[in-house]
Amino acid sequence: MKNTYVLHFDQSNYDQPIVYRLIRDYDLVFNILKAVILPKQESYLVMEISGAKEQLEKGLSYLLDQGVRVDPINKSVRRNEEKCAHCGACTAICPTGALAVERPDMVVVFSPEKCSVCGLCVTACPFRAMEVSF
Ligand code: SF4
Ligand code: SF4
């Protein structure tokens, strides 16, 4: 599983090695997208956290126990129809079949209900037609 969260720290926990323990104790992988760290004031991190579902739930529970407020960010991927040239580059990389060539017209069809929001097509598309929205 991979989800994006905003982690809010306050004066009681901003200097604790909380993120380090997420990796060591819960075997989670993270990617910091944005960080605002203000000593002795409220700070926050925007993080993508991934790992096994059970470990992710335990890790989130640990954060709450430490007094860290956790807000999930809902992401979705959409296709900008005006930019899409139906080149097909994204269909080879999409792991779920959400992007597929439809025969006989050979147009690329996007099925949002199959999309896992992995983001691979966003960087693969040469026309920047696939967009992430929060
Ligand atoms: S790679 Fe981009 S332009 Fe090409 S079919 Fe996919 S979304 Fe359309
Ligand atoms: S975000 Fe991932 S699953 Fe969704 S369409 Fe793009 S490559 Fe496919």
Side-chain angles (χ1 to χ4, degrees), residues 50-70:
S50 54
K53 184 171 183 284
E54 192 181 336
Q55 293 301 97
L56 187 56
E57 286 169 356
K58 286 181 180 170
L60 293 176
S61 177
Y62 162 72
L63 289 173
L64 296 175
D65 288 345
Q66 299 304 307
V68 178
R69 200 175 94 224
V70 181

Side-chain angles (χ1 to χ4, degrees), residues 67-85:
V68 178
R69 200 175 94 224
V70 181
D71 293 328
I73 294 180
N74 291 324
K75 277 194 307 186
S76 61
V77 167
R78 62 181 288 274
R79 182 168 68 177
N80 185 324
E81 300 298 338
E82 289 181 4
K83 289 185 179 176
C84 178

Side-chain angles (χ1 to χ4, degrees), residues 95-113:
T96 65
L99 288 157
V101 177
E102 192 174 70
R103 296 172 191 275
D105 298 336
M106 303 304 283
V107 293
V108 174
V109 177
F110 176 48
S111 306
E113 71 281 1

Side-chain angles (χ1 to χ4, degrees), residues 79 83-91 99 108 124-127 129-130:
R79 182 168 68 177
K83 289 185 179 176
C84 178
H86 296 271
C87 68
C90 55
T91 61
L99 288 157
V108 174
C125 174
F127 298 93
M130 301 304 292

Side-chain angles (χ1 to χ4, degrees), residues 16-29:
Q16 303 299 312
I18 289 173
V19 173
Y20 164 71
R21 289 203 52 196
L22 276 182
I23 305 169
R24 193 194 67 181
D25 298 350
Y26 301 97
D27 202 21
L28 296 172
V29 177

